[in-house]
Amino acid sequence: MTVRWIPDGYHTVTPWIIGRDTAGLMDFLAAAFDAEDLGGRVVDERGRIGHAEMRIGDSVVMMFDRPEATDQPEWPATPAFLRLYVPDVRATLRQAVAAGGTVVTEPTHLFWGDVVARVHDPYGNLYWLQTRIEDVTPEDMTRRLTDEKFVRAMEYVQSAIFRPGV
C-alpha cells in the first residue's frame, strides 16, 4: 500500500492558532464560519487543549491552548490572520458578528476583483473574508490602480488598522 505524502483532506499549508481559550475559539469558528470539529481533541488534566483541528470550507486549521509560564517551553499566543474565501462576504460577515466578532472593515470591492471585509474574533484573530465577483485582466488591474473608485476603496481598507486585543 502506498502512503500519500499528505493526509487526505489536508492542503500543503495548514495554519496553527495558539491562544488562551481554544474551546471558546472553536465555538466561535463553528458559529461564525460553520467550521466542523474534526475530533481528536487532546485535553490535559487541567482542561487545556493541547491539540484540536477544525475544517473551515475545504481547509484544516489546527489550534491549541498556549502553555502557561510554568510549562516548558513557553509558547506565546499568536494571533492568526486568515483569508477565507466565502460564497457571500456580507452574509458571512453578519454571521461572524452574530457569533461575537467585530467588524474591522465593511465589504469593499477592491481592484483585483474581490469584495473584501475583515472581522476579528474575541480571541485576537483577524479574518479576511473574500468573495471573487469578477475576473480582472492584468491590464485592467493596472488601470484600476489609478481609478479613483478603487484608490478610495484601498485607502479605506488600509486605514482600518487592526491591533490584537484592542
Side-chain angles (χ1 to χ4, degrees):
M1 182 162 98
T2 303
V3 175
R4 291 192 53 208
W5 63 273
I6 187 170
D8 287 338
Y10 289 79
H11 298 285
T12 55
V13 176
T14 302
W16 282 95
I17 301 175
I18 305 167
R20 291 181 174 82
D21 183 2
T22 297
L25 173 64
M26 293 176 77
D27 291 342
F28 174 82
L29 294 173
F33 308 124
D34 300 321
E36 172 192 0
D37 185 341
L38 296 179
R41 191 182 302 196
V42 177
V43 182
D44 71 12
E45 65 282 352
R46 291 183 273 178
R48 292 179 313 167
I49 296 175
H51 180 85
E53 297 182 12
M54 295 191 84
R55 182 175 312 284
I56 302 172
D58 67 354
S59 299
V60 174
V61 177
M62 293 193 241
M63 57 209 74
F64 64 89
D65 287 324
R66 171 184 87 74
E68 296 172 359
T70 57
D71 296 329
Q72 293 301 322
E74 183 175 348
W75 287 75
T78 56
F81 290 64
L82 302 176
R83 176 192 287 185
L84 281 63
Y85 271 100
V86 298
D88 182 338
V89 165
R90 287 167 180 79
T92 302
L93 182 62
R94 284 191 301 273
Q95 187 172 330
V97 169
T102 302
V103 174
V104 175
T105 53
E106 294 291 340
T108 306
H109 182 190
L110 295 176
F111 70 92
W112 62 85
D114 287 2
V115 172
V116 176
R118 292 184 295 174
V119 60
H120 74 83
D121 67 23
Y123 308 96
N125 304 296
L126 178 68
Y127 306 87
W128 289 74
L129 308 176
Q130 296 188 214
T131 300
R132 175 63 44 102
I133 61 167
E134 61 180 331
D135 292 320
V136 180
T137 67
E139 297 79 21
D140 282 341
M141 261 193 261
T142 300
R143 181 187 53 74
R144 287 177 171 197
L145 287 172
T146 59
D147 180 319
E148 190 60 32
K149 169 186 164 187
F150 291 106
V151 168
R152 280 194 312 274
M154 195 61 154
E155 286 172 349
Y156 163 67
V157 170
Q158 290 176 336
S159 72
I161 298 172
F162 169 71
R163 292 182 180 88
V166 176

